[in-house]
Amino acid sequence: MPGGLSGARVQITVTKEQHISEPRINDRIRVPEVRLVGPNGEQVGIVRVEDALRLAAEADLDLVEVAPMARPPVAKLMDFGKYKYETAMKAREARKNQVNTVIKEIKLRPKIDAHDYGTKKGHVERFLKGGDKVKVTIMFRGREQSRPELGFRLLQRLAEDVADLGFVESTPRQDGRNMVMVIGPAKKKTAVRQEKKRDAEARAAADHARDEPTETDLTTQSESAVETDAAVENDTADVIETTEANDDGATDAETTEAETSSTTEA
């Protein structure tokens, strides 16, 4: 090749403009004019970007480019910090309310005994009450593979036993040595969460009401306090009367002693 470039590779790097996740604000807006929207959503019209920045500064707000692909771009006057906070809170609330689909699995044998069947059925009921799907698998071994009707009847029996809590979402089907059926919950997981939240709030309210004294309790406490005060007053009066009686007795003794002394002297 000419120029001595035989065997050499020329690497061409193509740089793509990175996507900016946050909108452009204030001085980062590099267009001559924008379609301005006021802080309350009112349409101001097409203005020069310098005028829009001046209006934002006068209102102590930010100029935020909300529709950069429009012609001209749309910019709005707003508090950008508050806007970011509210957006983050909305995203957090959306993630909190997001429901993840969970499939629980229960494995059975075609010749399962009654006790083990009851235990497995209890697990299925608990999963369905929690709003989760349940995958029920019948495992065949050896000669059991020639009797698939045993597994089919067992799955039908289980579906009928939990019909109040769920429904058959996927009918029984043979999958190699196994037979599989999926049961969906009658109540969605969001409904189950809301019910649990309401029950918790009701229990908390009941506990709070039980801890607070009622009007009858307050009346009883007031009457008991009045009776206690009356009893204390009666005891005090008895003590005073006893003291006065003792004083009277001492006076009588002194009088008797004085009379006896006078008689002796006479």
Side-chain angles (χ1 to χ4, degrees):
M1 295 181 63
L5 295 179
S6 58
R9 292 183 179 179
V10 179
Q11 184 177 1
I12 300 176
T13 303
V14 179
T15 304
K16 294 184 179 180
E17 183 180 358
Q18 295 182 352
H19 176 69
I20 301 176
S21 58
E22 291 187 355
R24 295 186 296 183
I25 64 172
N26 299 330
D27 295 336
R28 291 173 55 188
I29 302 176
R30 303 293 186 181
V31 292
E33 58 184 14
V34 295
R35 186 180 298 276
L36 186 62
V37 179
N40 297 322
E42 65 274 12
Q43 296 290 333
V44 179
I46 299 176
V47 298
R48 295 190 308 163
V49 68
E50 293 83 1
D51 297 335
L53 290 171
R54 178 178 52 80
L55 293 174
E58 291 176 355
D60 196 18
L61 296 173
D62 298 304
L63 181 64
V64 182
E65 191 179 45
V66 294
M69 303 306 295
R71 291 293 178 269
V74 180
K76 185 177 181 180
L77 299 176
M78 67 173 70
D79 187 343
F80 187 62
K82 181 179 179 181
Y83 168 77
K84 287 180 62 178
Y85 175 78
E86 292 176 350
T87 304
M89 288 297 101
K90 290 180 181 178
R92 180 179 179 183
E93 192 68 21
R95 289 194 301 269
K96 182 179 179 181
N97 296 331
Q98 185 178 4
V99 178
N100 297 324
T101 303
V102 179
I103 299 180
K104 307 290 186 177
E105 184 174 9
I106 291 292
K107 294 183 179 181
L108 307 175
R109 294 295 307 280
K111 298 180 180 180
I112 187 171
D113 58 35
H115 180 270
D116 290 343
Y117 174 80
T119 303
K120 299 287 188 178
K121 186 182 72 171
H123 293 326
V124 173
E125 291 175 346
R126 177 165 55 88
F127 294 149
L128 293 175
K129 288 179 181 178
D132 296 320
K133 295 182 180 181
V134 183
K135 177 183 177 182
V136 186
T137 302
I138 304 294
M139 300 181 297
F140 297 95
R141 292 180 181 176
R143 295 183 178 179
E144 294 176 346
Q145 298 181 45
S146 61
R147 302 288 304 277
E149 66 275 6
L150 296 178
F152 184 79
R153 286 200 296 265
L154 181 59
L155 291 177
Q156 281 187 326
R157 175 188 172 189
L158 180 61
E160 292 174 358
D161 290 343
V162 298
D164 295 338
L165 300 174
F167 61 95
V168 177
E169 188 174 288
S170 176
T171 56
R173 57 181 177 81
Q174 193 76 25
D175 184 13
R177 295 184 178 182
N178 301 328
M179 184 174 288
V180 179
M181 178 181 70
V182 178
I183 303 177
K187 294 183 179 180
K188 298 296 183 181
K189 206 160 189 175
T190 52
V192 174
R193 287 183 178 178
Q194 292 175 357
E195 286 184 359
K196 290 182 178 179
K197 185 177 180 180
R198 286 195 296 267
D199 293 342
E201 291 175 352
R203 286 195 299 268
D207 294 340
H208 182 68
R210 186 173 60 250
D211 293 339
E212 285 187 349
T214 61
E215 185 177 353
T216 304
D217 296 335
L218 294 175
T219 305
T220 304
Q221 292 176 3
S222 300
E223 292 175 353
S224 300
V226 171
E227 293 177 357
T228 303
D229 294 339
V232 170
E233 291 178 358
N234 292 333
D235 294 340
T236 305
D238 293 340
V239 171
I240 293 173
E241 291 177 359
T242 303
T243 304
E244 292 177 352
N246 292 335
D247 292 341
D248 294 340
T251 303
D252 293 341
E254 291 176 356
T255 304
T256 305
E257 185 178 354
E259 291 177 354
T260 303
S261 299
S262 300
T263 305
T264 305
E265 289 177 358

